[in-house]
Amino acid sequence: MTHFNTIPDTLQVLIVEDHFATSNGIGLSLSQNKNIEVIAQRDTVEEALLFINKYTVDIVITDLHLATQKTGIELAMKLKQIKPSIKIVVYTFDENPTLINDAIAAGVDGYIFKSDDEEVFMIGIKEVIRGKKFFSSSIPQLLLNLERHTNLPQDEEINPESFNLTKKEKEIMVLIAKLNSSATIMKELNIAPTTLTTHKQNIYRKINLEGDAGITFFAYKYGLVDMSEVGSS
């Protein structure tokens, strides 16, 4: 198992991408770093999992949309179950805020847009190698588009205290809005999965919103989290 407290001598990278030109471009960018080795490229979630079961992989860089119906999010969910030590970076054009939230909930370590400069991509990979999370800087603003997932009153002056959230519920909302995965939240607060689920259901009921997407929107809109605190971290 690779530990990321210090950068290993050589990191084994698997690219999961169904466009050869894009995959080749990623490989060329990564090849500029002597401690990174691209060991394989695969087109589908199924092929990626077969490879990972046979060989050592430290980082997976995956598109969101792949050759089959299974997505990069499904790959992330599966890997966090069977190989939690593997770092996962989504590299995609997709700016859909709901999918971004789904990826974060699945535990990805980074979400970088293909429209970003190559320098941003490399900075993101290096941050993930160091054990940090990295998200393209525009993601917090994109998540403000999640308003359509909520049934909140359209009153800009609404006081979030009126929803009677508990201290623990507020903590969970902030951690979700800062793009932490469920696993990270449970570890941070030392709570069980069932406890986290119960708290989230209580939040949904009190605020009349849906899922982590709605929680994130609420936290940004009503000032529980400053967007400058989120993103590239």
Side-chain angles (χ1 to χ4, degrees):
M1 179 182 296
T2 300
H3 298 279
F4 288 81
N5 295 327
T6 58
I7 299 175
D9 291 336
T10 303
L11 284 163
Q12 309 296 311
V13 177
L14 170 66
I15 298 172
V16 187
E17 167 66 60
D18 59 0
H19 290 91
F20 175 77
T22 302
S23 178
N24 191 46
I26 295 170
L28 288 174
S29 296
L30 295 175
S31 67
Q32 300 173 31
N33 297 266
K34 62 181 181 180
N35 66 312
I36 297 177
E37 179 184 1
V38 176
I39 55 173
Q41 182 272 332
R42 293 293 182 267
D43 296 338
T44 68
V45 170
E46 294 84 355
E47 291 174 354
L49 291 172
L50 284 173
F51 184 87
I52 288 165
N53 283 330
K54 292 182 179 179
Y55 304 100
T56 298
V57 175
D58 299 309
I59 299 179
V60 171
I61 299 173
T62 180
D63 197 352
L64 205 61
H65 306 287
L66 300 166
T68 62
Q69 290 185 339
K70 289 189 177 180
T71 67
I73 292 173
E74 292 172 278
L75 175 59
M77 292 174 64
K78 186 66 175 178
L79 287 182
K80 288 302 178 181
Q81 292 174 357
I82 64 173
K83 300 275 188 177
S85 63
I86 295 178
K87 303 293 184 180
I88 307 166
V89 176
V90 170
Y91 188 50
T92 183
F93 281 116
D94 200 319
E95 298 184 357
N96 183 316
T98 302
L99 293 179
I100 294 170
N101 260 277
D102 289 345
I104 292 164
V108 301
D109 300 281
Y111 196 111
I112 305 172
F113 295 124
K114 291 178 179 177
S115 55
D116 287 333
D117 293 338
E118 181 181 346
E119 181 182 6
V120 173
F121 171 74
M122 289 310 308
I123 289 171
I125 297 301
K126 289 176 181 178
E127 288 294 281
V128 169
I129 288 171
R130 295 186 179 100
K132 298 183 179 181
K133 299 278 188 176
F134 186 92
F135 301 93
S136 289
S137 60
S138 59
I139 284 179
Q141 186 62 46
L142 287 169
L143 292 177
L144 282 175
N145 295 327
L146 292 166
E147 186 164 12
R148 67 181 181 276
H149 295 279
T150 73
N151 297 307
L152 295 171
Q154 300 302 307
D155 180 2
E156 294 294 334
E157 303 301 322
I158 193 169
N159 181 359
E161 296 298 326
S162 65
F163 291 96
N164 298 316
L165 296 165
T166 67
K167 180 180 178 181
K168 186 66 69 178
E169 288 164 357
K170 289 179 184 177
E171 288 179 324
I172 289 170
M173 291 187 77
V174 168
L175 288 169
I176 289 172
K178 286 186 174 181
L179 312 185
N180 289 286
S181 67
S182 295
T184 300
I185 293 171
M186 289 185 288
K187 183 177 180 180
E188 178 80 15
L189 300 180
N190 192 27
I191 57 177
T194 52
T195 303
L196 177 59
T197 298
T198 299
H199 281 306
K200 288 170 73 170
Q201 288 175 342
N202 288 337
I203 294 170
Y204 303 154
R205 175 178 52 80
K206 289 181 180 181
I207 303 180
N208 191 27
L209 48 70
E210 300 175 14
D212 288 2
I215 287 177
T216 300
F217 170 78
F218 181 92
Y220 287 164
K221 183 171 183 178
Y222 297 114
L224 296 180
V225 175
D226 186 336
M227 282 196 296
S228 65
E229 302 174 40
V230 187
S232 305
S233 60

